[in-house]
Amino acid sequence: MANNLYQIVVDLTKSLGAASFVIFIVLAIVYRSLRLGLISIIPNLFPLVATGALLVAMGEPLFISSVCAFTVCLGIAVDDTIHFLSRYRQELAAADSVDDAVRATYITVGTPMLMTTIILVVAFSTVLLSDLPAHRIFGAMACATIGSAIIGDLLGLPALLAYFEAGEHKPKATE
């Protein structure tokens, strides 16, 4: 039984890695930019690393529930990245600079992203009241992953865009 459980965790971990790679490929294709695909990796890996560090700090091993939390929350984290990048692309088309586009994007989608994150964290935090340790670990990991994802998307992603996209944008034509 222990071998089967170990194999399940290994398989779920591999699928998490595969999902991360597929997300990068899909974002690069959708936005027609290898650069944006690469930029999007960091804010989406940040919550996984932060949550992994929390798991280690808590002294918890990798269970099925924790790997499932990683997988579910990766999807939620990518959702915010997609919202930010989609709006950024719209703003960039009308902006004079990447900094202006990032600023306008932040103002436009920052509050909805933050509110969604707060609601999700509050909802997942109710699981922390469970009597079952696996449920509490899942809830803690979900809260940590979603909470750190917003940091990656509202602090890391704009900074990465401002730094790596600055030389690539041609200002809009003046009329």
Coordinates of all heavy atoms in Angstrom, one line a residue, residues 67-165:
V67 N -0.4 17.4 -3.2 CA -0.1 17.5 -4.6 C -1.3 17.9 -5.4 O -1.3 18.7 -6.3 CB 0.4 16.1 -5.2 CG1 0.6 16.2 -6.7 CG2 1.7 15.7 -4.5
C68 N -2.5 17.5 -4.9 CA -3.8 17.9 -5.5 C -3.9 19.4 -5.3 O -4.4 20.2 -6.2 CB -4.9 17.2 -4.9 SG -5.1 15.5 -5.5
A69 N -3.6 19.9 -4.1 CA -3.7 21.4 -3.9 C -2.8 22.1 -4.8 O -3.1 23.2 -5.3 CB -3.3 21.7 -2.4
F70 N -1.5 21.6 -5.0 CA -0.6 22.3 -6.0 C -1.3 22.4 -7.4 O -1.3 23.4 -8.0 CB 0.7 21.5 -6.1 CG 1.7 21.8 -5.1 CD1 2.3 20.8 -4.4 CD2 2.1 23.1 -4.9 CE1 3.3 21.0 -3.5 CE2 3.1 23.4 -4.0 CZ 3.7 22.3 -3.3
T71 N -1.9 21.3 -7.8 CA -2.4 21.2 -9.1 C -3.6 22.1 -9.3 O -3.7 22.9 -10.3 CB -2.9 19.8 -9.5 OG1 -1.7 18.9 -9.3 CG2 -3.3 19.6 -10.9
V72 N -4.5 22.1 -8.3 CA -5.7 23.0 -8.4 C -5.3 24.4 -8.3 O -5.8 25.3 -9.1 CB -6.7 22.6 -7.2 CG1 -7.8 23.7 -7.0 CG2 -7.3 21.3 -7.4
C73 N -4.4 24.8 -7.4 CA -4.0 26.2 -7.3 C -3.2 26.7 -8.4 O -3.1 27.9 -8.6 CB -3.4 26.3 -5.9 SG -4.6 26.0 -4.6
L74 N -2.4 25.8 -9.1 CA -1.7 26.2 -10.3 C -2.7 26.8 -11.3 O -2.4 27.8 -11.9 CB -0.9 25.1 -10.8 CG -0.1 25.4 -12.1 CD1 0.9 26.6 -11.9 CD2 0.6 24.2 -12.7
G75 N -3.8 26.1 -11.5 CA -4.8 26.6 -12.4 C -5.4 27.9 -12.0 O -5.6 28.8 -12.8
I76 N -5.6 28.1 -10.7 CA -6.1 29.4 -10.2 C -5.1 30.5 -10.4 O -5.4 31.6 -10.8 CB -6.6 29.2 -8.8 CG1 -7.8 28.3 -8.7 CG2 -6.9 30.6 -8.2 CD1 -8.1 27.9 -7.3
A77 N -3.8 30.2 -10.2 CA -2.8 31.1 -10.3 C -2.6 31.6 -11.8 O -2.4 32.8 -12.1 CB -1.4 30.6 -9.8
V78 N -2.7 30.6 -12.7 CA -2.6 30.9 -14.1 C -3.7 31.8 -14.6 O -3.6 32.7 -15.4 CB -2.5 29.6 -14.9 CG1 -2.7 29.9 -16.4 CG2 -1.2 28.9 -14.6
D79 N -4.9 31.6 -14.0 CA -6.0 32.4 -14.3 C -5.8 33.9 -14.1 O -6.0 34.7 -15.0 CB -7.3 32.0 -13.5 CG -8.5 32.7 -13.9 OD1 -8.9 32.7 -15.1 OD2 -9.1 33.4 -13.0
D80 N -5.2 34.3 -13.0 CA -4.8 35.7 -12.8 C -3.8 36.2 -13.8 O -3.8 37.3 -14.2 CB -4.3 35.9 -11.3 CG -5.5 36.0 -10.3 OD1 -6.6 36.2 -10.8 OD2 -5.2 35.9 -9.1
T81 N -2.8 35.3 -14.1 CA -1.8 35.7 -15.0 C -2.4 36.0 -16.4 O -2.0 37.0 -17.1 CB -0.7 34.6 -15.2 OG1 -0.2 34.3 -13.9 CG2 0.4 35.0 -16.1
I82 N -3.3 35.1 -16.8 CA -4.0 35.3 -18.1 C -4.8 36.6 -18.1 O -4.7 37.4 -19.1 CB -4.9 34.1 -18.4 CG1 -4.0 32.9 -18.7 CG2 -5.8 34.4 -19.6 CD1 -4.8 31.6 -18.8
H83 N -5.5 36.9 -17.0 CA -6.2 38.2 -16.9 C -5.3 39.4 -17.1 O -5.6 40.3 -17.8 CB -7.0 38.3 -15.6 CG -8.2 37.5 -15.5 ND1 -9.3 37.7 -16.3 CD2 -8.5 36.4 -14.8 CE1 -10.3 36.8 -16.1 NE2 -9.8 36.0 -15.1
F84 N -4.2 39.3 -16.4 CA -3.2 40.4 -16.4 C -2.6 40.6 -17.8 O -2.6 41.7 -18.3 CB -2.2 40.3 -15.3 CG -1.4 41.5 -15.1 CD1 -1.8 42.4 -14.0 CD2 -0.3 41.9 -15.8 CE1 -1.1 43.6 -13.8 CE2 0.3 43.1 -15.6 CZ -0.1 43.9 -14.6
L85 N -2.2 39.5 -18.4 CA -1.5 39.5 -19.7 C -2.5 39.9 -20.8 O -2.1 40.7 -21.7 CB -0.8 38.2 -20.0 CG 0.4 37.9 -19.2 CD1 0.9 36.5 -19.6 CD2 1.5 38.9 -19.5
S86 N -3.7 39.5 -20.7 CA -4.7 39.8 -21.7 C -5.0 41.3 -21.7 O -5.0 42.0 -22.7 CB -6.0 39.1 -21.5 OG -5.8 37.7 -21.7
R87 N -5.2 41.9 -20.5 CA -5.4 43.3 -20.4 C -4.1 44.1 -20.8 O -4.2 45.2 -21.4 CB -5.8 43.7 -19.0 CG -6.3 45.1 -18.8 CD -7.4 45.4 -19.8 NE -7.7 46.8 -19.7 CZ -8.9 47.3 -19.9 NH1 -9.9 46.5 -20.2 NH2 -9.1 48.6 -19.9
Y88 N -3.0 43.6 -20.4 CA -1.7 44.2 -20.7 C -1.6 44.4 -22.3 O -1.2 45.4 -22.8 CB -0.6 43.5 -20.2 CG 0.8 43.8 -20.7 CD1 1.4 45.0 -20.3 CD2 1.4 43.0 -21.6 CE1 2.6 45.4 -20.8 CE2 2.7 43.4 -22.1 CZ 3.3 44.6 -21.8 OH 4.5 44.9 -22.3
R89 N -1.9 43.3 -23.0 CA -1.8 43.4 -24.4 C -2.7 44.4 -25.0 O -2.4 45.1 -26.0 CB -2.1 42.0 -25.0 CG -1.1 40.9 -24.7 CD 0.2 41.2 -25.4 NE 0.1 41.0 -26.8 CZ 0.7 40.1 -27.6 NH1 1.5 39.2 -27.0 NH2 0.6 40.0 -28.9
Q90 N -3.9 44.6 -24.4 CA -4.9 45.6 -24.9 C -4.3 47.0 -24.6 O -4.4 47.9 -25.5 CB -6.2 45.4 -24.2 CG -7.0 44.2 -24.7 CD -8.3 44.0 -23.8 OE1 -8.5 44.6 -22.8 NE2 -9.1 43.1 -24.3
E91 N -3.8 47.2 -23.4 CA -3.3 48.5 -23.0 C -2.1 48.8 -23.8 O -1.9 50.0 -24.1 CB -3.0 48.5 -21.5 CG -4.2 48.3 -20.6 CD -5.2 49.5 -20.7 OE1 -4.8 50.6 -21.2 OE2 -6.3 49.3 -20.2
L92 N -1.3 47.8 -24.1 CA 0.0 48.1 -24.8 C -0.3 48.6 -26.2 O 0.5 49.5 -26.7 CB 0.8 46.8 -24.9 CG 2.2 46.9 -25.5 CD1 3.1 47.8 -24.6 CD2 2.9 45.5 -25.6
A93 N -1.4 48.2 -26.9 CA -1.7 48.6 -28.2 C -2.0 50.1 -28.2 O -1.8 50.8 -29.2 CB -2.9 47.8 -28.7
A94 N -2.5 50.7 -27.1 CA -2.9 52.1 -27.0 C -1.9 52.9 -26.3 O -2.1 54.1 -26.2 CB -4.3 52.2 -26.4
A95 N -0.9 52.3 -25.7 CA 0.0 53.1 -24.8 C 1.2 53.6 -25.5 O 1.6 53.1 -26.6 CB 0.5 52.1 -23.6
D96 N 1.8 54.6 -24.9 CA 3.1 55.2 -25.4 C 4.3 54.4 -25.0 O 5.3 54.5 -25.6 CB 3.2 56.7 -24.9 CG 2.2 57.6 -25.6 OD1 1.9 57.4 -26.8 OD2 1.7 58.5 -24.9
S97 N 4.1 53.7 -23.9 CA 5.3 52.9 -23.4 C 4.8 51.7 -22.6 O 3.6 51.6 -22.3 CB 6.1 53.8 -22.4 OG 5.4 54.0 -21.2
V98 N 5.7 50.8 -22.4 CA 5.4 49.6 -21.6 C 5.0 50.0 -20.2 O 4.1 49.4 -19.7 CB 6.6 48.6 -21.6 CG1 6.4 47.5 -20.6 CG2 6.8 48.0 -23.0
D99 N 5.7 50.9 -19.6 CA 5.4 51.4 -18.3 C 3.9 51.9 -18.2 O 3.2 51.6 -17.2 CB 6.3 52.4 -17.8 CG 7.7 51.9 -17.5 OD1 7.9 50.7 -17.3 OD2 8.7 52.7 -17.5
D100 N 3.5 52.6 -19.2 CA 2.1 53.1 -19.2 C 1.1 52.0 -19.3 O 0.1 52.0 -18.7 CB 1.9 54.1 -20.4 CG 2.6 55.4 -20.2 OD1 3.1 55.7 -19.1 OD2 2.8 56.2 -21.2
A101 N 1.5 51.0 -20.2 CA 0.6 49.8 -20.3 C 0.5 49.0 -19.1 O -0.6 48.6 -18.7 CB 1.1 49.0 -21.5
V102 N 1.6 48.8 -18.4 CA 1.6 48.1 -17.1 C 0.8 48.8 -16.1 O 0.0 48.2 -15.4 CB 3.1 47.8 -16.7 CG1 3.1 47.3 -15.2 CG2 3.8 46.8 -17.6
R103 N 1.0 50.1 -16.0 CA 0.3 50.9 -15.0 C -1.2 50.9 -15.3 O -2.0 50.7 -14.3 CB 0.8 52.4 -15.1 CG 0.3 53.3 -13.9 CD 1.0 54.6 -14.0 NE 2.4 54.6 -13.8 CZ 3.3 54.8 -14.8 NH1 2.9 55.2 -16.0 NH2 4.6 54.7 -14.6
A104 N -1.6 51.0 -16.5 CA -3.0 51.0 -16.8 C -3.6 49.6 -16.6 O -4.8 49.5 -16.1 CB -3.2 51.4 -18.3
T105 N -2.9 48.6 -16.9 CA -3.3 47.2 -16.6 C -3.5 47.0 -15.1 O -4.5 46.4 -14.7 CB -2.3 46.2 -17.2 OG1 -2.1 46.4 -18.6 CG2 -2.7 44.8 -16.9
Y106 N -2.5 47.4 -14.3 CA -2.6 47.3 -12.9 C -3.8 48.0 -12.3 O -4.5 47.4 -11.5 CB -1.3 47.9 -12.3 CG -0.9 47.4 -10.9 CD1 -0.1 46.3 -10.8 CD2 -1.4 48.1 -9.8 CE1 0.2 45.9 -9.5 CE2 -1.1 47.7 -8.5 CZ -0.3 46.5 -8.4 OH 0.1 46.1 -7.1
I107 N -4.1 49.2 -12.8 CA -5.2 49.9 -12.3 C -6.5 49.3 -12.7 O -7.5 49.2 -11.9 CB -5.2 51.4 -12.8 CG1 -4.0 52.1 -12.1 CG2 -6.5 52.1 -12.6 CD1 -3.7 53.5 -12.8
T108 N -6.6 48.7 -13.9 CA -7.8 48.1 -14.4 C -8.1 46.8 -13.8 O -9.3 46.5 -13.4 CB -7.7 48.0 -16.0 OG1 -7.4 49.3 -16.5 CG2 -9.0 47.5 -16.5
V109 N -7.2 45.9 -13.8 CA -7.5 44.5 -13.3 C -6.9 44.2 -11.9 O -7.2 43.1 -11.4 CB -6.9 43.4 -14.3 CG1 -7.6 43.6 -15.7 CG2 -5.4 43.5 -14.4
G110 N -6.2 45.1 -11.3 CA -5.6 44.8 -10.0 C -6.6 44.6 -8.9 O -6.5 43.6 -8.2
T111 N -7.6 45.4 -8.8 CA -8.6 45.3 -7.8 C -9.5 44.1 -8.0 O -9.7 43.3 -7.0 CB -9.5 46.6 -7.7 OG1 -8.7 47.7 -7.4 CG2 -10.6 46.5 -6.7
P112 N -10.0 43.8 -9.2 CA -10.7 42.5 -9.3 C -9.9 41.3 -9.0 O -10.4 40.3 -8.4 CB -11.2 42.5 -10.8 CG -11.1 43.9 -11.2 CD -10.0 44.6 -10.4
M113 N -8.6 41.3 -9.4 CA -7.8 40.1 -9.1 C -7.6 40.0 -7.6 O -7.7 38.9 -7.0 CB -6.4 40.3 -9.8 CG -6.5 40.0 -11.3 SD -4.9 40.5 -12.2 CE -3.7 39.5 -11.4
L114 N -7.4 41.1 -6.9 CA -7.2 41.1 -5.5 C -8.5 40.6 -4.8 O -8.4 39.8 -3.8 CB -6.7 42.4 -5.0 CG -6.4 42.5 -3.5 CD1 -5.2 41.6 -3.2 CD2 -6.0 44.0 -3.2
M115 N -9.6 41.1 -5.2 CA -10.9 40.7 -4.6 C -11.2 39.2 -4.8 O -11.6 38.6 -3.8 CB -12.0 41.6 -5.1 CG -11.9 43.0 -4.7 SD -11.8 43.3 -3.0 CE -13.3 42.7 -2.4
T116 N -10.9 38.7 -6.0 CA -11.1 37.3 -6.2 C -10.2 36.5 -5.3 O -10.6 35.5 -4.8 CB -10.8 37.0 -7.7 OG1 -11.7 37.8 -8.5 CG2 -11.0 35.6 -8.0
T117 N -9.0 36.9 -5.2 CA -8.0 36.2 -4.3 C -8.5 36.2 -2.9 O -8.4 35.1 -2.2 CB -6.6 36.8 -4.4 OG1 -6.2 36.7 -5.8 CG2 -5.6 36.1 -3.5
I118 N -8.9 37.3 -2.4 CA -9.4 37.4 -1.0 C -10.6 36.4 -0.8 O -10.6 35.7 0.2 CB -9.8 38.8 -0.6 CG1 -8.5 39.7 -0.5 CG2 -10.6 38.9 0.7 CD1 -8.8 41.2 -0.4
I119 N -11.5 36.4 -1.7 CA -12.7 35.5 -1.6 C -12.2 34.0 -1.6 O -12.7 33.2 -0.8 CB -13.7 35.8 -2.7 CG1 -14.3 37.2 -2.5 CG2 -14.7 34.7 -2.9 CD1 -15.1 37.7 -3.7
L120 N -11.3 33.7 -2.5 CA -10.8 32.3 -2.6 C -10.1 31.9 -1.3 O -10.3 30.8 -0.8 CB -9.9 32.1 -3.8 CG -10.6 32.1 -5.2 CD1 -9.6 32.2 -6.3 CD2 -11.5 30.8 -5.3
V121 N -9.3 32.8 -0.8 CA -8.5 32.5 0.4 C -9.5 32.3 1.6 O -9.3 31.3 2.4 CB -7.4 33.5 0.7 CG1 -6.8 33.4 2.1 CG2 -6.3 33.4 -0.3
V122 N -10.4 33.2 1.7 CA -11.4 33.0 2.8 C -12.2 31.7 2.6 O -12.4 31.0 3.6 CB -12.4 34.2 2.8 CG1 -13.6 34.0 3.7 CG2 -11.6 35.5 3.3
A123 N -12.6 31.4 1.4 CA -13.3 30.1 1.2 C -12.5 28.9 1.5 O -12.9 28.0 2.2 CB -13.8 30.1 -0.2
F124 N -11.3 28.9 1.0 CA -10.4 27.7 1.3 C -10.0 27.7 2.8 O -9.7 26.6 3.3 CB -9.1 27.8 0.4 CG -9.3 27.1 -0.9 CD1 -9.3 27.9 -2.1 CD2 -9.5 25.8 -1.0 CE1 -9.5 27.3 -3.3 CE2 -9.7 25.2 -2.3 CZ -9.7 26.0 -3.4
S125 N -9.9 28.8 3.5 CA -9.5 28.8 4.9 C -10.6 28.1 5.8 O -10.2 27.7 6.9 CB -9.3 30.2 5.4 OG -10.5 31.0 5.4
T126 N -11.8 28.0 5.3 CA -12.8 27.3 6.1 C -12.4 25.8 6.3 O -12.8 25.2 7.2 CB -14.2 27.3 5.5 OG1 -14.2 26.7 4.2 CG2 -14.7 28.8 5.4
V127 N -11.6 25.3 5.3 CA -11.2 23.9 5.4 C -10.1 23.7 6.5 O -10.0 22.6 7.0 CB -10.6 23.5 4.0 CG1 -10.1 22.0 4.0 CG2 -11.6 23.7 2.9
L128 N -9.5 24.8 7.0 CA -8.6 24.7 8.1 C -9.2 24.3 9.4 O -8.6 23.9 10.3 CB -7.9 26.1 8.3 CG -7.0 26.5 7.1 CD1 -6.5 28.0 7.4 CD2 -5.8 25.6 6.9
L129 N -10.5 24.4 9.4 CA -11.3 24.0 10.6 C -11.6 22.5 10.7 O -12.2 22.0 11.6 CB -12.6 24.8 10.7 CG -12.4 26.3 10.7 CD1 -13.8 27.0 10.7 CD2 -11.6 26.8 12.0
S130 N -11.3 21.8 9.6 CA -11.6 20.4 9.5 C -10.8 19.6 10.6 O -9.7 19.9 11.1 CB -11.2 19.8 8.2 OG -11.3 18.4 8.1
D131 N -11.4 18.5 11.0 CA -10.8 17.6 12.0 C -9.8 16.7 11.3 O -8.9 16.1 12.0 CB -11.9 16.7 12.7 CG -12.7 17.5 13.6 OD1 -12.3 18.5 14.1 OD2 -13.9 17.0 13.8
L132 N -9.8 16.6 10.0 CA -8.9 15.7 9.3 C -7.6 16.4 8.9 O -7.7 17.5 8.2 CB -9.6 15.1 8.0 CG -10.9 14.3 8.2 CD1 -11.5 14.0 6.9 CD2 -10.5 13.0 9.0
P133 N -6.5 15.9 9.3 CA -5.2 16.6 9.0 C -5.0 16.8 7.5 O -4.5 17.8 7.1 CB -4.2 15.6 9.5 CG -4.9 14.8 10.5 CD -6.3 14.7 10.1
A134 N -5.4 15.8 6.6 CA -5.2 16.0 5.2 C -6.0 17.1 4.6 O -5.5 17.9 3.8 CB -5.5 14.7 4.5
H135 N -7.2 17.3 5.2 CA -8.0 18.5 4.8 C -7.4 19.8 5.2 O -7.4 20.8 4.4 CB -9.4 18.4 5.3 CG -10.2 17.3 4.7 ND1 -11.5 16.9 5.1 CD2 -9.9 16.4 3.7 CE1 -11.9 16.0 4.4 NE2 -11.0 15.6 3.5
R136 N -6.8 19.8 6.4 CA -6.2 21.1 6.9 C -5.0 21.4 6.1 O -4.7 22.6 5.7 CB -5.8 20.9 8.4 CG -7.0 21.0 9.3 CD -6.6 21.2 10.8 NE -5.7 20.2 11.2 CZ -6.0 19.1 11.8 NH1 -7.2 18.7 12.0 NH2 -5.0 18.2 12.2
I137 N -4.2 20.4 5.7 CA -3.0 20.6 4.9 C -3.4 21.1 3.5 O -2.9 22.1 3.0 CB -2.2 19.3 4.7 CG1 -1.5 19.0 6.1 CG2 -1.1 19.5 3.6 CD1 -0.9 17.6 6.1
F138 N -4.5 20.5 2.9 CA -5.0 21.0 1.7 C -5.4 22.5 1.8 O -5.1 23.3 0.9 CB -6.2 20.1 1.2 CG -6.8 20.6 -0.1 CD1 -6.2 20.1 -1.3 CD2 -7.8 21.5 -0.2 CE1 -6.8 20.5 -2.5 CE2 -8.3 21.9 -1.4 CZ -7.8 21.4 -2.6
G139 N -6.2 22.8 2.8 CA -6.6 24.2 3.0 C -5.5 25.2 3.2 O -5.5 26.3 2.6
A140 N -4.5 24.8 4.0 CA -3.3 25.6 4.2 C -2.6 25.9 2.9 O -2.2 27.0 2.6 CB -2.4 25.1 5.3
M141 N -2.4 24.8 2.2 CA -1.6 24.9 0.9 C -2.4 25.7 -0.1 O -1.8 26.5 -0.8 CB -1.3 23.5 0.4 CG -0.3 22.8 1.2 SD 0.2 21.3 0.5 CE 0.9 21.8 -1.0
A142 N -3.7 25.5 -0.2 CA -4.5 26.3 -1.1 C -4.4 27.8 -0.8 O -4.2 28.6 -1.7 CB -6.0 25.8 -1.1
C143 N -4.6 28.1 0.5 CA -4.5 29.5 0.9 C -3.1 30.1 0.6 O -3.0 31.2 0.1 CB -4.8 29.7 2.4 SG -6.5 29.4 2.8
A144 N -2.1 29.4 0.9 CA -0.7 29.8 0.7 C -0.4 30.0 -0.8 O 0.2 31.0 -1.2 CB 0.3 28.9 1.3
T145 N -0.9 29.0 -1.6 CA -0.6 29.1 -3.0 C -1.4 30.3 -3.7 O -0.8 31.0 -4.5 CB -1.0 27.8 -3.7 OG1 -0.3 26.7 -3.1 CG2 -0.7 27.8 -5.2
I146 N -2.7 30.4 -3.4 CA -3.5 31.5 -4.0 C -3.0 32.8 -3.4 O -2.9 33.8 -4.2 CB -5.0 31.2 -3.7 CG1 -5.4 30.0 -4.4 CG2 -5.8 32.4 -4.1 CD1 -6.8 29.5 -3.9
G147 N -2.6 32.9 -2.2 CA -2.1 34.2 -1.6 C -0.8 34.6 -2.2 O -0.6 35.8 -2.5
S148 N 0.1 33.6 -2.4 CA 1.4 34.0 -3.0 C 1.2 34.2 -4.5 O 2.0 34.9 -5.1 CB 2.4 33.0 -2.7 OG 2.1 31.7 -3.1
A149 N 0.2 33.6 -5.1 CA 0.0 33.8 -6.6 C -0.3 35.3 -6.9 O 0.1 35.8 -7.9 CB -1.1 32.9 -7.1
I150 N -1.1 35.9 -6.0 CA -1.5 37.3 -6.3 C -0.2 38.2 -6.1 O -0.1 39.2 -6.8 CB -2.6 37.8 -5.4 CG1 -3.2 39.1 -5.9 CG2 -2.2 37.9 -3.9 CD1 -4.0 38.9 -7.2
I151 N 0.7 37.8 -5.2 CA 1.9 38.5 -5.1 C 2.7 38.4 -6.4 O 3.3 39.4 -6.9 CB 2.8 38.0 -3.9 CG1 2.0 38.4 -2.6 CG2 4.2 38.7 -3.9 CD1 2.6 37.7 -1.4
G152 N 2.8 37.2 -6.9 CA 3.5 37.0 -8.2 C 2.9 37.8 -9.3 O 3.6 38.3 -10.2
D153 N 1.6 37.8 -9.3 CA 0.9 38.4 -10.5 C 0.8 39.9 -10.4 O 0.7 40.6 -11.4 CB -0.5 37.8 -10.7 CG -0.4 36.4 -11.3 OD1 0.4 36.2 -12.1 OD2 -1.3 35.6 -10.9
L154 N 0.7 40.5 -9.2 CA 0.6 41.9 -9.0 C 1.9 42.7 -8.7 O 2.0 43.9 -8.9 CB -0.5 42.3 -8.0 CG -1.9 42.0 -8.3 CD1 -2.9 42.4 -7.2 CD2 -2.3 42.6 -9.7
L155 N 2.9 41.9 -8.3 CA 4.2 42.5 -8.1 C 5.3 42.0 -9.0 O 6.0 42.8 -9.7 CB 4.7 42.3 -6.6 CG 3.8 42.9 -5.5 CD1 4.4 42.6 -4.1 CD2 3.7 44.4 -5.7
G156 N 5.4 40.7 -9.2 CA 6.4 40.1 -10.0 C 6.1 40.3 -11.5 O 7.0 40.7 -12.2
L157 N 4.9 40.0 -11.9 CA 4.6 40.1 -13.4 C 4.7 41.5 -13.9 O 5.4 41.6 -15.0 CB 3.2 39.5 -13.6 CG 2.7 39.4 -15.1 CD1 3.7 38.6 -15.9 CD2 1.3 38.8 -15.2
P158 N 4.2 42.5 -13.3 CA 4.4 43.8 -13.8 C 5.9 44.2 -13.9 O 6.3 44.9 -14.9 CB 3.6 44.8 -12.8 CG 2.6 43.9 -12.2 CD 3.3 42.5 -12.1
A159 N 6.6 43.9 -12.9 CA 8.1 44.2 -12.9 C 8.8 43.5 -14.0 O 9.6 44.1 -14.7 CB 8.7 43.8 -11.5
L160 N 8.5 42.2 -14.2 CA 9.1 41.4 -15.3 C 8.7 42.0 -16.7 O 9.5 42.1 -17.6 CB 8.6 40.0 -15.2 CG 9.2 39.2 -14.1 CD1 8.5 37.9 -13.9 CD2 10.7 39.0 -14.3
L161 N 7.4 42.4 -16.8 CA 7.0 43.0 -18.1 C 7.7 44.3 -18.3 O 8.2 44.6 -19.4 CB 5.5 43.2 -18.1 CG 4.6 42.0 -18.2 CD1 3.2 42.3 -17.9 CD2 4.8 41.3 -19.5
A162 N 7.8 45.2 -17.3 CA 8.5 46.5 -17.4 C 9.9 46.3 -17.8 O 10.5 47.1 -18.6 CB 8.3 47.3 -16.1
Y163 N 10.6 45.3 -17.2 CA 12.0 45.1 -17.5 C 12.3 44.4 -18.9 O 13.1 44.9 -19.6 CB 12.6 44.3 -16.4 CG 14.1 44.1 -16.5 CD1 15.0 45.1 -16.1 CD2 14.7 42.9 -17.0 CE1 16.3 45.0 -16.2 CE2 16.0 42.8 -17.2 CZ 16.9 43.8 -16.8 OH 18.2 43.7 -16.9
F164 N 11.6 43.3 -19.1 CA 11.9 42.6 -20.3 C 11.2 43.0 -21.6 O 11.6 42.6 -22.7 CB 11.6 41.1 -20.1 CG 12.6 40.4 -19.2 CD1 12.2 40.1 -17.9 CD2 13.9 40.2 -19.5 CE1 13.1 39.5 -17.0 CE2 14.8 39.7 -18.7 CZ 14.4 39.3 -17.4
E165 N 10.1 43.8 -21.5 CA 9.4 44.2 -22.6 C 9.7 45.7 -23.0 O 9.3 46.1 -24.1 CB 7.9 44.2 -22.4 CG 7.3 42.8 -22.3 CD 6.8 42.3 -23.6 OE1 5.9 42.8 -24.2 OE2 7.5 41.3 -24.1

